[in-house]
């Protein structure tokens, strides 16, 4: 009898320990939240705020640089990048939505930089960019949580996984520009539906929850020819060209391309499309500091969400989570339609 009670007690202890350690018990936000990076405290940290810019809160509070945070599909975890292992080395970390329970994704320390992660809709995998210039290693990789090995994919950057899990959107640069590219996750087949003549440079794709529309950063103009120019003139020409990057929306099929933000002023770069597809987060310099804005796709109304900051990269990026559009299970393509939001509200 004593042995049985000891066995029951031991099982209970294990259950309690498992509950404390398991990330599945982390609480997801019950209202929409945006993750972003801010250097307002002297170094880059992960912050969270409401979609109207209120209740901005520092989640990491670490002396290292923390950045590129993205929500898990259920909102119960956050995947981010940090150089906590040393200067020049960036690696992937996980934490709970309140900033607690920080742990490395890979046990094996990176020699270069693992950064710019994107989460698969089923929560099991992720893609990221790896760069190690000293060893001449760079590429886009597909990783699986709990495994040390990762698969090298066709090179690209600015990755974003489609909501139904079937493809990954990213940007592939070429001699005269960059193309929005879709990679079939199963076959690795690539598709580029938006031609160069429509938009010379196509970067930073971000999906709507329905998977029918994306926001992208774009530039209609080719890089200026600076051969034979004086250095100051060449720099001025390049800056003028770079400042023409701005915000667009486009249908998945490559149709319906529409510019949302004027070219006038500093470059505007897409951070995230809201899950319902109605607003776009983007970063733009104002008064010498990068700030985060959002724009309503239909009305064109622009709202500045962040202010101030110590350095040029004061507030950047952004990843949007809305519990009304969270996927609690593996992707279900039949639910990922324009009626998904209404189904969740009923």
């Amino acid at each position: 009898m004593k042995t049985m009670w000891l066995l029951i007690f031991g099982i209970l202890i294990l259950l309690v320990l498992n509950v404390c350690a398991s990330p599945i018990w982390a609480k997801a936000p019950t209202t929409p939240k945006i993750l972003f990076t801010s250097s307002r405290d002297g170094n880059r940290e992960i912050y969270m705020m409401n979609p109207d810019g209120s209740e901005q809160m520092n989640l990491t509070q670490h002396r290292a640089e923390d950045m590129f945070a993205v929500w898990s599909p259920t909102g119960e975890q956050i995947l981010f990048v940090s150089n906590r292992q040393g200067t020049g080395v960036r690696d992937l970390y996980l934490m709970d939505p309140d900033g607690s329970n920080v742990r490395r994704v890979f046990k094996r320390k990176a020699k270069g930089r693992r950064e710019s992660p994107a989460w698969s809709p089923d929560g099991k995998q992720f893609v990221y960019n790896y760069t190690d210039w000293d060893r001449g290693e760079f590429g886009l990789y597909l990783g699986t949580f709990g495994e040390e090995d990762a698969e090298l994919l066709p090179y690209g950057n600015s990755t974003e996984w489609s909501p139904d899990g079937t493809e990954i959107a990213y940007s592939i640069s070429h001699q005269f520009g960059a193309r929005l590219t879709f990679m079939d996750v199963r076959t690795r087949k690539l598709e580029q539906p938006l031609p160069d003549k429509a938009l010379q440079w196509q970067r930073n794709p971000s999906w709507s929850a329905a998977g029918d529309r994306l926001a992208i950063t774009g530039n209609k103009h080719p890089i200026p020819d600076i051969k034979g120019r004086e250095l100051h003139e060449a720099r001025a020409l390049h800056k003028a060209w770079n400042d023409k990057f701005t915000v667009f929306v486009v249908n998945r099929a490559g149709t319906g391309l529409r510019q949302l933000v004027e070219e006038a002023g500093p470059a505007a770069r897409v951070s995230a499309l809201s899950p319902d597809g109605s607003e776009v987060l983007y970063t733009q310099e104002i008064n010498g500091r990068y700030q985060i804005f959002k724009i309503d796709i239909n009305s064109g109304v622009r709202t500045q969400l962040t202010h101030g900051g110590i350095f040029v990269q004061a507030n950047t990026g952004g990843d949007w989570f809305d519990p009304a559009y969270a996927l609690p299970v593996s992707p279900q393509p039949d639910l990922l339609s324009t009626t998904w939001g209404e189904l969740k509200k009923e």
Side-chain angles (χ1 to χ4, degrees):
M1 191 68 172
K2 182 179 180 181
T3 302
M4 182 179 291
W5 278 111
L6 287 173
L7 179 61
I8 293 173
F9 180 75
I11 292 173
L12 288 173
I13 290 294
L14 288 174
L15 286 173
V16 170
L17 289 174
N18 184 61
V19 167
C20 293
S22 175
I24 66 171
W25 295 96
K27 291 184 178 179
T30 57
T31 59
K33 296 290 182 181
I34 292 170
L35 295 172
F36 67 102
T37 303
S38 179
S39 62
R40 66 189 64 181
D41 296 324
N43 73 313
R44 286 190 278 190
E45 304 273 11
I46 304 301
Y47 278 71
M48 181 169 63
M49 65 178 168
N50 294 328
D52 63 359
S54 63
E55 298 183 17
Q56 298 185 15
M57 179 176 63
N58 186 345
L59 297 180
T60 47
Q61 301 176 1
H62 196 278
R63 64 180 180 277
E65 287 195 322
D66 304 311
M67 63 204 87
F68 303 129
V70 289
W71 290 105
S72 70
T74 60
E76 293 169 322
Q77 296 183 79
I78 295 170
L79 179 61
F80 69 102
V81 175
S82 179
N83 64 352
R84 299 181 183 208
Q85 296 298 311
T87 304
V89 177
R90 292 180 179 177
D91 214 340
L92 303 179
Y93 291 77
L94 287 165
M95 66 178 172
D96 291 348
D98 62 357
S100 64
N101 194 24
V102 177
R103 62 272 190 202
R104 283 172 55 193
V105 172
F106 291 97
K107 294 180 181 178
R108 186 169 60 243
K109 182 179 177 180
K111 296 179 180 178
R113 290 184 169 189
R114 296 184 180 119
E115 53 192 351
S116 302
W119 216 307
S120 67
D122 64 5
K124 298 177 181 178
Q125 294 182 298
F126 55 98
V127 288
Y128 65 95
N129 282 95
Y130 180 76
T131 306
D132 185 349
W133 294 114
D134 292 337
R135 296 169 178 79
E137 299 175 3
F138 59 92
L140 178 66
Y141 285 84
L142 172 64
T144 301
F145 288 106
E147 297 182 8
E148 290 296 297
D149 294 328
E151 176 190 351
L152 180 64
L153 298 175
Y155 187 71
N157 51 56
S158 305
T159 53
E160 184 84 2
W161 216 302
S162 68
D164 66 2
T166 62
E167 55 189 0
I168 296 172
Y170 59 101
S171 179
I172 295 182
S173 298
H174 56 81
Q175 185 178 1
F176 303 106
R179 294 283 296 275
L180 172 64
T181 304
F182 298 97
M183 184 189 73
D184 187 294
V185 173
R186 183 178 61 84
T187 66
R188 302 296 190 262
K189 182 180 178 181
L190 303 182
E191 178 188 356
Q192 296 179 326
L194 189 59
D196 285 341
K197 63 181 180 180
L199 196 60
Q200 192 83 19
W201 299 83
Q202 309 162 18
R203 295 174 173 170
N204 310 114
S206 177
W207 296 90
S208 66
D212 59 342
R213 171 187 279 182
L214 300 96
I216 60 173
T217 300
N219 191 329
K220 302 175 183 177
H221 311 278
I223 295 179
D225 184 2
I226 59 175
K227 291 180 181 179
R229 307 274 187 175
E230 295 290 336
L231 182 59
H232 71 278
E233 184 181 7
R235 286 177 173 172
L237 283 172
H238 186 272
K239 184 180 186 305
W241 168 79
N242 187 68
D243 282 344
K244 293 185 183 299
F245 275 97
T246 191
V247 179
F248 293 80
V249 288
V250 64
N251 297 327
R252 163 60 185 84
T255 60
L257 180 69
R258 183 157 61 97
Q259 182 175 328
L260 299 181
V261 179
E262 295 181 0
E263 289 181 358
R269 289 182 167 81
V270 168
S271 300
L273 181 59
S274 64
D276 65 4
S278 67
E279 297 177 299
V280 180
L281 286 179
Y282 66 94
T283 299
Q284 188 173 36
E285 182 183 337
I286 181 171
N287 298 325
R289 300 288 186 271
Y290 285 107
Q291 303 295 346
I292 299 172
F293 297 81
K294 70 174 180 179
I295 186 167
D296 187 290
I297 289 176
N298 297 314
S299 69
V301 173
R302 187 176 83 153
T303 306
Q304 184 173 343
L305 301 181
T306 62
H307 301 78
I310 301 174
F311 305 113
V312 174
Q313 293 188 344
N315 299 281
T316 57
D319 190 56
W320 208 311
F321 174 76
D322 187 336
Y325 292 86
L327 291 176
V329 293
S330 297
Q332 301 179 52
D334 58 313
L335 292 182
L336 288 168
S337 66
T338 53
T339 60
W340 173 235
E342 295 304 317
L343 289 171
K344 292 293 287 184
K345 293 176 183 178
E346 291 180 358

